[in-house]
Structures are given as structure tokens and as C-alpha cells.
Amino acid sequence: MHKHTSINRQILLASRPTGKPTSDNFKLVESPVPTPGEGQVLLETQFLSLDPYMRGRMSDAPSYAAPVKIGEVMVGGTVSKVTLSKNSKFKTGDLVLSYAGWQDYALSDGKDLTPLGAIAHPSLALGVLGMPGFTAYMGLLDIGEPKAGETVVVGAATGAVGSVVGQIGKIKGCRVVGIAGSAEKCRFAVEELGFDSCLSHHDEKLADALREACPKGIDVYFENVGGKVFDAVLPLLNAKARIPVCGLIAQYNRTSLPPGPDRMGLLMGTILSKRLRMQGFIISQDYGHRFQEFQQPMQQWLREGKIKFREDIVEGLEKAPQAFMGLLEGENFGKLVVKF
């Protein structure tokens, strides 16, 4: 079903998930296209970014950002086209980075819009040149502080963030070991992205395989998955290792703590004996003011072919819920984007 110029299709949060989201948690509705008032623009969505953080917004547990309310449009970064402007800063046809969410049309007063200019590949503003790329860059370089010759490990190695972390690690002269969810993803990480090694997290002997892949231990572990990957990493961390904590996708759908021994004592003991530095960060809140610092080198690396990217593009707003549920299970291959 394609969009209609007088109807605004919207996907609302219908109910809060318990564990894994299901299609019942989402509701597709049709509303009239809104009319911009003075100072406003009407935006038409071209691309919608789907990202793991959205699972947290579906929940009303306390977090770093307010949850989506029941009956509200699901949130998300978008590339949008200005189709009607009553704001002197924008003209019809302008492409902008916006936060229109899961819908065909949205209004904005322009304050939250970033003009994209004549960008050859607009969806990259949601991936390698946008929030995920920025997350990888700042988390790795500002918190991880990798030095040439060190070993960097990153999970979800072919995803929007992990793929950039690994490639920046290589640019900085590190040994880079990725962890991903399939043999095909691991091949891609090594052959296309230039990782030194990549392991499947489905490998029963992940801890042994990781030990072999990191003969000099691990100096930087970019944490974006949690779960059993962190269990395998912990004993291999070198003294003064850095652990930027960006996400924990392995536990986003959990409703209770996993069974098994309490490993908190082991973690705290290792933090002390190895003098580890673990630091969580939220890219928009901690680094928003430093976006220019990332943009220039990243654009240059892309131009020079030092950073490659892969997108997983899904066609049509109505496919967003299914694609998002798949994202949380690792079914995507590359940066997940919905094309309208």
C-alpha cells in the first residue's frame, strides 16, 4: 500500500510489550494530512531509521528519555522532504534530517530539522553519517581511546554501529575482532569491512574462539550487545581496558534476570583488579554539541573508501513493525532503514 497525498498513515504504539514486541503492540491508522501554520513546514517522510533504542521507548520503565505514550506515533529519525513551507528558512523540496517518527507526514517548526543539502545518498544521514556513525565514533574514540597495536572487540559487528566501530579501529591501527550472528555476517566483516577476525555468537565455544582471536587480550570492548558476548570478553580484558557501554540488545526483551550464578561479584572484582573503565553514554545527550567534529572525518573516510557501509532497506511503512521485531533478533544485515 503506497502513500496517498491526502491521507497520513501512522503507526502508533497500541500496547506495551512484555518481552519481545509483537504485531499487537503496533497499530496502523489513517489520519488527515496536517496543515502547517505560520512558521511551520509539512514534511513528507522519505526514509525512517529503525534502531534498537526504540525498544526502550516502548517500555514505561525509567530511562534516559520519556517513553512513547499509548496511542502516540512511534518515534524515530527520518529523512523527510519539505512539501509545504510557511517558514522562511525552508523551501518546498528541501531534504532534511528530522524526527517525524513512523508516519508519512509530520509538521515541524524547523527547530529540530537539519538541512541535508544535495546529498547523493540521503539514507546515510540515518546511518554512517548520522546517529549510529556518530555513536560509533564518539564511543570508540572519546571513551575507548584506542591506540595503535591494541585489540578492539565489538559485537553486532555488521550492524549500523558495530561496523563503523571496527573500521575506525582499523584506521587507528588496532587489531579488530568482531562478533556477529551468522557465518555470512562474519565473512562480510572480514572480507568487506577489513576486520582481522569475526566470530559467531551462536558458537558454543565462543569464549575459547575469542581467546584464540585475541592472543594479546582485549584493550577496548565496545559494548553494544551484553549477554553471553560480555561473559566471553570479561576474562580476556587487559589491565586498564576501556569499555564504552552503548547498548545491551541481548537483554532488551528480557522480563527477568537470566538464570545462573550471580556474576556481579566477578564483574566488580575484575573492574578492581584490572582497573577497568566502564562508561555508559547516550550520544544525543553527551555529544550532541560535537557533531561537526565527527562529520568532517567521516565524510572524508567515506570518500576515500576507508569506511564502507551496508544498508538493509525495507520498502513501505506497513513493514516497519515486522522489520523492527526482526532487528531485535538480529535478522537485519546492515543498517535497517524503511523506504517510503
Side-chain angles (χ1 to χ4, degrees):
M1 184 178 149
H2 289 288
K3 58 186 166 193
H4 191 284
T5 50
S6 62
I7 292 168
N8 185 19
R9 294 173 312 152
Q10 303 175 303
I11 292 181
L12 313 180
L13 179 64
S15 57
R16 301 206 183 277
T18 305
K20 293 179 186 180
T22 67
S23 48
D24 292 343
N25 299 136
F26 303 95
K27 185 182 181 186
L28 178 66
V29 298
E30 294 184 348
S31 313
V33 172
T35 308
E38 211 40 59
Q40 288 186 316
V41 292
L42 176 64
L43 300 172
E44 183 183 2
T45 308
Q46 310 293 301
F47 295 96
L48 164 67
S49 180
L50 294 179
D51 301 283
Y53 77 82
M54 295 170 173
R55 176 63 185 83
R57 301 290 162 86
M58 294 177 78
S59 159
D60 57 4
S63 187
Y64 64 88
V68 177
K69 295 191 175 84
I70 301 292
E72 276 187 348
V73 177
M74 275 294 294
V75 292
T78 51
V79 169
S80 305
K81 187 162 76 181
V82 175
T83 56
L84 210 59
S85 178
K86 293 193 174 174
N87 180 319
S88 57
K89 291 186 183 139
F90 299 93
K91 59 180 193 300
T92 302
D94 283 355
L95 273 187
V96 294
L97 177 64
S98 53
Y99 299 91
W102 299 27
Q103 56 184 343
D104 286 327
Y105 295 94
L107 293 178
S108 169
D109 61 5
K111 290 192 180 90
D112 61 340
L113 304 181
T114 307
L116 292 176
I119 182 171
H121 203 110
S123 57
L124 294 194
L126 302 172
V128 66
L129 288 172
M131 182 272 289
F134 188 29
T135 299
Y137 182 94
M138 284 298 172
L140 180 64
L141 297 182
D142 196 65
I143 299 172
E145 298 181 336
K147 296 167 198 65
E150 290 191 328
T151 299
V152 172
V153 173
V154 63
T158 59
V161 175
S163 61
V164 178
V165 168
Q167 292 179 92
I168 297 176
K170 289 310 299 173
I171 289 168
K172 298 295 177 188
C174 297
R175 175 176 176 78
V176 173
V177 177
I179 294 161
S182 70
E184 186 193 6
K185 287 178 177 179
C186 283
R187 247 193 326 276
F188 178 80
V190 173
E191 291 170 12
E192 296 293 321
L193 303 180
F195 283 52
D196 293 287
S197 174
C198 186
L199 313 171
S200 166
H201 63 72
H202 298 297
D203 184 344
E204 306 265 296
K205 297 195 167 136
L206 175 62
D208 295 338
L210 188 61
R211 187 176 295 108
E212 276 173 42
C214 303
K216 294 181 179 171
I218 298 169
D219 301 291
V220 182
Y221 172 52
F222 189 99
E223 175 64 290
N224 53 1
V225 289
K228 60 191 174 189
V229 174
F230 184 65
D231 291 344
V233 164
L234 188 60
L236 302 176
L237 290 165
N238 288 331
K240 300 221 169 158
R242 288 80 66 197
I243 307 163
V245 181
C246 152
L248 298 160
I249 198 167
Q251 62 194 51
Y252 287 166
N253 285 332
R254 272 191 200 151
T255 51
S256 61
L257 288 173
D262 176 1
R263 294 191 291 281
M264 184 66 90
L266 174 66
L267 172 62
M268 296 305 282
T270 310
I271 288 174
L272 175 62
S273 62
K274 297 270 183 76
R275 292 103 79 203
L276 304 180
R277 188 168 86 229
M278 283 184 95
Q279 184 178 330
F281 71 105
I282 304 296
I283 191 65
S284 54
Q285 297 181 14
D286 295 321
Y287 292 104
H289 60 292
R290 292 173 64 178
F291 191 69
Q292 295 326 105
E293 192 183 319
F294 144 80
Q295 237 178 349
Q296 193 271 324
M298 185 56 80
Q299 285 170 339
Q300 189 176 336
W301 288 335
L302 273 177
R303 275 196 305 275
E304 293 171 353
K306 286 184 179 169
I307 295 243
K308 296 177 181 164
F309 62 90
R310 180 177 170 131
E311 293 179 301
D312 189 335
I313 293 184
V314 176
E315 301 253 350
L317 171 65
E318 65 284 354
K319 304 261 179 61
Q322 206 58 47
F324 175 69
M325 291 183 259
L327 171 70
L328 295 173
E329 300 298 315
E331 285 167 22
N332 59 302
F333 190 169
K335 170 71 193 102
L336 187 58
V337 178
V338 180
K339 185 174 193 281
F340 283 58

PDB file of all heavy atoms in Angstrom, residues 49-78:
ATOM      1  N   SER A  49      14.488   5.538  10.044  1.00  0.00           N
ATOM      2  CA  SER A  49      15.514   4.710  10.676  1.00  0.00           C
ATOM      3  C   SER A  49      14.869   3.806  11.720  1.00  0.00           C
ATOM      4  O   SER A  49      14.035   4.265  12.506  1.00  0.00           O
ATOM      5  CB  SER A  49      16.521   5.639  11.364  1.00  0.00           C
ATOM      6  OG  SER A  49      17.532   4.888  11.988  1.00  0.00           O
ATOM      7  N   LEU A  50      15.241   2.523  11.724  1.00  0.00           N
ATOM      8  CA  LEU A  50      14.811   1.622  12.799  1.00  0.00           C
ATOM      9  C   LEU A  50      16.044   1.265  13.614  1.00  0.00           C
ATOM     10  O   LEU A  50      17.058   0.828  13.060  1.00  0.00           O
ATOM     11  CB  LEU A  50      14.157   0.355  12.228  1.00  0.00           C
ATOM     12  CG  LEU A  50      12.832   0.579  11.491  1.00  0.00           C
ATOM     13  CD1 LEU A  50      12.299  -0.751  10.955  1.00  0.00           C
ATOM     14  CD2 LEU A  50      11.791   1.243  12.383  1.00  0.00           C
ATOM     15  N   ASP A  51      15.977   1.466  14.921  1.00  0.00           N
ATOM     16  CA  ASP A  51      17.140   1.306  15.797  1.00  0.00           C
ATOM     17  C   ASP A  51      16.734   0.623  17.102  1.00  0.00           C
ATOM     18  O   ASP A  51      15.609   0.787  17.575  1.00  0.00           O
ATOM     19  CB  ASP A  51      17.733   2.679  16.131  1.00  0.00           C
ATOM     20  CG  ASP A  51      18.158   3.432  14.876  1.00  0.00           C
ATOM     21  OD1 ASP A  51      19.207   3.095  14.324  1.00  0.00           O
ATOM     22  OD2 ASP A  51      17.417   4.340  14.444  1.00  0.00           O
ATOM     23  N   PRO A  52      17.682  -0.120  17.708  1.00  0.00           N
ATOM     24  CA  PRO A  52      17.357  -0.871  18.930  1.00  0.00           C
ATOM     25  C   PRO A  52      16.839  -0.016  20.091  1.00  0.00           C
ATOM     26  O   PRO A  52      16.038  -0.499  20.899  1.00  0.00           O
ATOM     27  CB  PRO A  52      18.691  -1.530  19.303  1.00  0.00           C
ATOM     28  CG  PRO A  52      19.412  -1.663  17.991  1.00  0.00           C
ATOM     29  CD  PRO A  52      19.038  -0.448  17.208  1.00  0.00           C
ATOM     30  N   TYR A  53      17.278   1.252  20.186  1.00  0.00           N
ATOM     31  CA  TYR A  53      16.842   2.084  21.326  1.00  0.00           C
ATOM     32  C   TYR A  53      15.319   2.216  21.395  1.00  0.00           C
ATOM     33  O   TYR A  53      14.752   2.492  22.454  1.00  0.00           O
ATOM     34  CB  TYR A  53      17.481   3.483  21.273  1.00  0.00           C
ATOM     35  CG  TYR A  53      16.849   4.429  20.272  1.00  0.00           C
ATOM     36  CD1 TYR A  53      15.685   5.133  20.579  1.00  0.00           C
ATOM     37  CD2 TYR A  53      17.382   4.603  18.990  1.00  0.00           C
ATOM     38  CE1 TYR A  53      15.084   5.977  19.654  1.00  0.00           C
ATOM     39  CE2 TYR A  53      16.796   5.442  18.065  1.00  0.00           C
ATOM     40  CZ  TYR A  53      15.636   6.123  18.396  1.00  0.00           C
ATOM     41  OH  TYR A  53      15.033   6.950  17.477  1.00  0.00           O
ATOM     42  N   MET A  54      14.648   1.999  20.252  1.00  0.00           N
ATOM     43  CA  MET A  54      13.189   2.155  20.216  1.00  0.00           C
ATOM     44  C   MET A  54      12.475   1.162  21.133  1.00  0.00           C
ATOM     45  O   MET A  54      11.374   1.426  21.598  1.00  0.00           O
ATOM     46  CB  MET A  54      12.679   1.998  18.780  1.00  0.00           C
ATOM     47  CG  MET A  54      13.175   3.102  17.875  1.00  0.00           C
ATOM     48  SD  MET A  54      12.819   2.732  16.136  1.00  0.00           S
ATOM     49  CE  MET A  54      13.314   4.304  15.385  1.00  0.00           C
ATOM     50  N   ARG A  55      13.137   0.012  21.392  1.00  0.00           N
ATOM     51  CA  ARG A  55      12.525  -0.965  22.294  1.00  0.00           C
ATOM     52  C   ARG A  55      12.346  -0.346  23.681  1.00  0.00           C
ATOM     53  O   ARG A  55      11.338  -0.559  24.350  1.00  0.00           O
ATOM     54  CB  ARG A  55      13.399  -2.229  22.348  1.00  0.00           C
ATOM     55  CG  ARG A  55      12.909  -3.279  23.339  1.00  0.00           C
ATOM     56  CD  ARG A  55      11.532  -3.820  22.988  1.00  0.00           C
ATOM     57  NE  ARG A  55      11.029  -4.748  24.005  1.00  0.00           N
ATOM     58  CZ  ARG A  55      10.429  -4.376  25.128  1.00  0.00           C
ATOM     59  NH1 ARG A  55      10.280  -3.072  25.419  1.00  0.00           N
ATOM     60  NH2 ARG A  55       9.981  -5.277  25.980  1.00  0.00           N
ATOM     61  N   GLY A  56      13.340   0.442  24.116  1.00  0.00           N
ATOM     62  CA  GLY A  56      13.248   1.116  25.413  1.00  0.00           C
ATOM     63  C   GLY A  56      12.119   2.132  25.459  1.00  0.00           C
ATOM     64  O   GLY A  56      11.462   2.304  26.487  1.00  0.00           O
ATOM     65  N   ARG A  57      11.874   2.806  24.332  1.00  0.00           N
ATOM     66  CA  ARG A  57      10.810   3.815  24.289  1.00  0.00           C
ATOM     67  C   ARG A  57       9.421   3.186  24.359  1.00  0.00           C
ATOM     68  O   ARG A  57       8.445   3.858  24.658  1.00  0.00           O
ATOM     69  CB  ARG A  57      10.910   4.654  23.004  1.00  0.00           C
ATOM     70  CG  ARG A  57      12.213   5.394  22.836  1.00  0.00           C
ATOM     71  CD  ARG A  57      12.372   6.537  23.837  1.00  0.00           C
ATOM     72  NE  ARG A  57      13.772   6.917  23.912  1.00  0.00           N
ATOM     73  CZ  ARG A  57      14.361   7.787  23.096  1.00  0.00           C
ATOM     74  NH1 ARG A  57      13.680   8.373  22.156  1.00  0.00           N
ATOM     75  NH2 ARG A  57      15.632   8.064  23.237  1.00  0.00           N
ATOM     76  N   MET A  58       9.338   1.899  24.018  1.00  0.00           N
ATOM     77  CA  MET A  58       8.046   1.198  24.073  1.00  0.00           C
ATOM     78  C   MET A  58       7.686   0.816  25.503  1.00  0.00           C
ATOM     79  O   MET A  58       6.547   0.460  25.786  1.00  0.00           O
ATOM     80  CB  MET A  58       8.093  -0.065  23.212  1.00  0.00           C
ATOM     81  CG  MET A  58       8.254   0.216  21.727  1.00  0.00           C
ATOM     82  SD  MET A  58       8.391  -1.309  20.767  1.00  0.00           S
ATOM     83  CE  MET A  58       6.666  -1.822  20.698  1.00  0.00           C
ATOM     84  N   SER A  59       8.696   0.865  26.377  1.00  0.00           N
ATOM     85  CA  SER A  59       8.504   0.447  27.763  1.00  0.00           C
ATOM     86  C   SER A  59       8.340   1.678  28.646  1.00  0.00           C
ATOM     87  O   SER A  59       8.885   2.734  28.345  1.00  0.00           O
ATOM     88  CB  SER A  59       9.751  -0.343  28.182  1.00  0.00           C
ATOM     89  OG  SER A  59       9.870  -0.363  29.572  1.00  0.00           O
ATOM     90  N   ASP A  60       7.606   1.548  29.738  1.00  0.00           N
ATOM     91  CA  ASP A  60       7.464   2.716  30.638  1.00  0.00           C
ATOM     92  C   ASP A  60       8.407   2.625  31.839  1.00  0.00           C
ATOM     93  O   ASP A  60       8.264   3.371  32.802  1.00  0.00           O
ATOM     94  CB  ASP A  60       6.010   2.937  31.073  1.00  0.00           C
ATOM     95  CG  ASP A  60       5.406   1.723  31.748  1.00  0.00           C
ATOM     96  OD1 ASP A  60       6.136   0.729  31.954  1.00  0.00           O
ATOM     97  OD2 ASP A  60       4.203   1.752  32.064  1.00  0.00           O
ATOM     98  N   ALA A  61       9.394   1.710  31.751  1.00  0.00           N
ATOM     99  CA  ALA A  61      10.404   1.643  32.823  1.00  0.00           C
ATOM    100  C   ALA A  61      11.229   2.929  32.790  1.00  0.00           C
ATOM    101  O   ALA A  61      11.416   3.513  31.727  1.00  0.00           O
ATOM    102  CB  ALA A  61      11.303   0.436  32.604  1.00  0.00           C
ATOM    103  N   PRO A  62      11.724   3.406  33.935  1.00  0.00           N
ATOM    104  CA  PRO A  62      12.505   4.647  33.949  1.00  0.00           C
ATOM    105  C   PRO A  62      13.721   4.520  33.031  1.00  0.00           C
ATOM    106  O   PRO A  62      14.402   3.499  33.042  1.00  0.00           O
ATOM    107  CB  PRO A  62      12.955   4.784  35.407  1.00  0.00           C
ATOM    108  CG  PRO A  62      12.113   3.831  36.185  1.00  0.00           C
ATOM    109  CD  PRO A  62      11.629   2.781  35.251  1.00  0.00           C
ATOM    110  N   SER A  63      13.965   5.531  32.226  1.00  0.00           N
ATOM    111  CA  SER A  63      15.109   5.505  31.311  1.00  0.00           C
ATOM    112  C   SER A  63      15.589   6.921  31.076  1.00  0.00           C
ATOM    113  O   SER A  63      15.125   7.864  31.720  1.00  0.00           O
ATOM    114  CB  SER A  63      14.710   4.832  30.001  1.00  0.00           C
ATOM    115  OG  SER A  63      15.853   4.661  29.175  1.00  0.00           O
ATOM    116  N   TYR A  64      16.503   7.074  30.101  1.00  0.00           N
ATOM    117  CA  TYR A  64      17.094   8.391  29.842  1.00  0.00           C
ATOM    118  C   TYR A  64      16.188   9.290  29.011  1.00  0.00           C
ATOM    119  O   TYR A  64      16.487  10.447  28.813  1.00  0.00           O
ATOM    120  CB  TYR A  64      18.462   8.239  29.177  1.00  0.00           C
ATOM    121  CG  TYR A  64      18.407   7.588  27.807  1.00  0.00           C
ATOM    122  CD1 TYR A  64      18.216   8.356  26.662  1.00  0.00           C
ATOM    123  CD2 TYR A  64      18.550   6.212  27.660  1.00  0.00           C
ATOM    124  CE1 TYR A  64      18.170   7.766  25.409  1.00  0.00           C
ATOM    125  CE2 TYR A  64      18.496   5.621  26.411  1.00  0.00           C
ATOM    126  CZ  TYR A  64      18.311   6.399  25.289  1.00  0.00           C
ATOM    127  OH  TYR A  64      18.261   5.812  24.050  1.00  0.00           O
ATOM    128  N   ALA A  65      15.091   8.723  28.472  1.00  0.00           N
ATOM    129  CA  ALA A  65      14.159   9.531  27.676  1.00  0.00           C
ATOM    130  C   ALA A  65      12.744   9.086  28.002  1.00  0.00           C
ATOM    131  O   ALA A  65      12.517   7.943  28.400  1.00  0.00           O
ATOM    132  CB  ALA A  65      14.439   9.345  26.192  1.00  0.00           C
ATOM    133  N   ALA A  66      11.797   9.975  27.833  1.00  0.00           N
ATOM    134  CA  ALA A  66      10.395   9.655  28.145  1.00  0.00           C
ATOM    135  C   ALA A  66       9.890   8.566  27.200  1.00  0.00           C
ATOM    136  O   ALA A  66      10.246   8.549  26.024  1.00  0.00           O
ATOM    137  CB  ALA A  66       9.540  10.910  27.999  1.00  0.00           C
ATOM    138  N   PRO A  67       9.053   7.667  27.698  1.00  0.00           N
ATOM    139  CA  PRO A  67       8.516   6.628  26.813  1.00  0.00           C
ATOM    140  C   PRO A  67       7.479   7.202  25.833  1.00  0.00           C
ATOM    141  O   PRO A  67       6.925   8.270  26.065  1.00  0.00           O
ATOM    142  CB  PRO A  67       7.842   5.658  27.780  1.00  0.00           C
ATOM    143  CG  PRO A  67       7.516   6.458  28.991  1.00  0.00           C
ATOM    144  CD  PRO A  67       8.557   7.533  29.080  1.00  0.00           C
ATOM    145  N   VAL A  68       7.250   6.475  24.758  1.00  0.00           N
ATOM    146  CA  VAL A  68       6.136   6.809  23.864  1.00  0.00           C
ATOM    147  C   VAL A  68       4.865   6.475  24.639  1.00  0.00           C
ATOM    148  O   VAL A  68       4.781   5.430  25.283  1.00  0.00           O
ATOM    149  CB  VAL A  68       6.212   5.968  22.570  1.00  0.00           C
ATOM    150  CG1 VAL A  68       5.014   6.243  21.660  1.00  0.00           C
ATOM    151  CG2 VAL A  68       7.513   6.251  21.818  1.00  0.00           C
ATOM    152  N   LYS A  69       3.882   7.363  24.587  1.00  0.00           N
ATOM    153  CA  LYS A  69       2.614   7.088  25.274  1.00  0.00           C
ATOM    154  C   LYS A  69       1.762   6.151  24.409  1.00  0.00           C
ATOM    155  O   LYS A  69       1.881   6.159  23.180  1.00  0.00           O
ATOM    156  CB  LYS A  69       1.851   8.394  25.533  1.00  0.00           C
ATOM    157  CG  LYS A  69       2.551   9.350  26.489  1.00  0.00           C
ATOM    158  CD  LYS A  69       1.593  10.494  26.901  1.00  0.00           C
ATOM    159  CE  LYS A  69       2.230  11.391  27.950  1.00  0.00           C
ATOM    160  NZ  LYS A  69       3.096  12.436  27.352  1.00  0.00           N
ATOM    161  N   ILE A  70       0.917   5.378  25.054  1.00  0.00           N
ATOM    162  CA  ILE A  70      -0.007   4.506  24.316  1.00  0.00           C
ATOM    163  C   ILE A  70      -0.875   5.401  23.413  1.00  0.00           C
ATOM    164  O   ILE A  70      -1.409   6.420  23.859  1.00  0.00           O
ATOM    165  CB  ILE A  70      -0.915   3.703  25.289  1.00  0.00           C
ATOM    166  CG1 ILE A  70      -0.061   2.844  26.234  1.00  0.00           C
ATOM    167  CG2 ILE A  70      -1.909   2.839  24.508  1.00  0.00           C
ATOM    168  CD1 ILE A  70       0.685   1.705  25.598  1.00  0.00           C
ATOM    169  N   GLY A  71      -0.995   5.014  22.155  1.00  0.00           N
ATOM    170  CA  GLY A  71      -1.805   5.801  21.210  1.00  0.00           C
ATOM    171  C   GLY A  71      -1.017   6.895  20.500  1.00  0.00           C
ATOM    172  O   GLY A  71      -1.565   7.589  19.633  1.00  0.00           O
ATOM    173  N   GLU A  72       0.268   7.048  20.851  1.00  0.00           N
ATOM    174  CA  GLU A  72       1.108   8.031  20.152  1.00  0.00           C
ATOM    175  C   GLU A  72       1.857   7.358  19.009  1.00  0.00           C
ATOM    176  O   GLU A  72       2.073   6.142  19.017  1.00  0.00           O
ATOM    177  CB  GLU A  72       2.159   8.623  21.110  1.00  0.00           C
ATOM    178  CG  GLU A  72       1.635   9.767  21.949  1.00  0.00           C
ATOM    179  CD  GLU A  72       2.740  10.459  22.766  1.00  0.00           C
ATOM    180  OE1 GLU A  72       3.880   9.954  22.876  1.00  0.00           O
ATOM    181  OE2 GLU A  72       2.429  11.522  23.308  1.00  0.00           O
ATOM    182  N   VAL A  73       2.295   8.192  18.051  1.00  0.00           N
ATOM    183  CA  VAL A  73       3.095   7.701  16.922  1.00  0.00           C
ATOM    184  C   VAL A  73       4.452   7.239  17.448  1.00  0.00           C
ATOM    185  O   VAL A  73       5.080   7.919  18.265  1.00  0.00           O
ATOM    186  CB  VAL A  73       3.287   8.831  15.878  1.00  0.00           C
ATOM    187  CG1 VAL A  73       4.191   8.361  14.728  1.00  0.00           C
ATOM    188  CG2 VAL A  73       1.940   9.288  15.329  1.00  0.00           C
ATOM    189  N   MET A  74       4.900   6.088  16.980  1.00  0.00           N
ATOM    190  CA  MET A  74       6.240   5.592  17.342  1.00  0.00           C
ATOM    191  C   MET A  74       7.293   6.596  16.887  1.00  0.00           C
ATOM    192  O   MET A  74       7.192   7.157  15.797  1.00  0.00           O
ATOM    193  CB  MET A  74       6.497   4.244  16.663  1.00  0.00           C
ATOM    194  CG  MET A  74       5.945   3.044  17.425  1.00  0.00           C
ATOM    195  SD  MET A  74       6.758   2.747  19.030  1.00  0.00           S
ATOM    196  CE  MET A  74       8.422   2.301  18.504  1.00  0.00           C
ATOM    197  N   VAL A  75       8.300   6.804  17.723  1.00  0.00           N
ATOM    198  CA  VAL A  75       9.342   7.794  17.436  1.00  0.00           C
ATOM    199  C   VAL A  75      10.412   7.206  16.506  1.00  0.00           C
ATOM    200  O   VAL A  75      10.574   5.991  16.434  1.00  0.00           O
ATOM    201  CB  VAL A  75      10.040   8.268  18.731  1.00  0.00           C
ATOM    202  CG1 VAL A  75       9.096   9.071  19.582  1.00  0.00           C
ATOM    203  CG2 VAL A  75      10.618   7.081  19.513  1.00  0.00           C
ATOM    204  N   GLY A  76      11.129   8.090  15.834  1.00  0.00           N
ATOM    205  CA  GLY A  76      12.242   7.634  15.007  1.00  0.00           C
ATOM    206  C   GLY A  76      12.811   8.751  14.164  1.00  0.00           C
ATOM    207  O   GLY A  76      12.099   9.691  13.786  1.00  0.00           O
ATOM    208  N   GLY A  77      14.096   8.628  13.868  1.00  0.00           N
ATOM    209  CA  GLY A  77      14.768   9.569  12.972  1.00  0.00           C
ATOM    210  C   GLY A  77      14.326   9.326  11.539  1.00  0.00           C
ATOM    211  O   GLY A  77      14.122   8.180  11.133  1.00  0.00           O
ATOM    212  N   THR A  78      14.184  10.395  10.784  1.00  0.00           N
ATOM    213  CA  THR A  78      13.706  10.292   9.403  1.00  0.00           C
ATOM    214  C   THR A  78      14.488  11.231   8.488  1.00  0.00           C
ATOM    215  O   THR A  78      15.035  12.243   8.932  1.00  0.00           O
ATOM    216  CB  THR A  78      12.217  10.683   9.304  1.00  0.00           C
ATOM    217  OG1 THR A  78      12.024  11.959   9.946  1.00  0.00           O
ATOM    218  CG2 THR A  78      11.299   9.673   9.978  1.00  0.00           C
TER     219      THR A  78
END
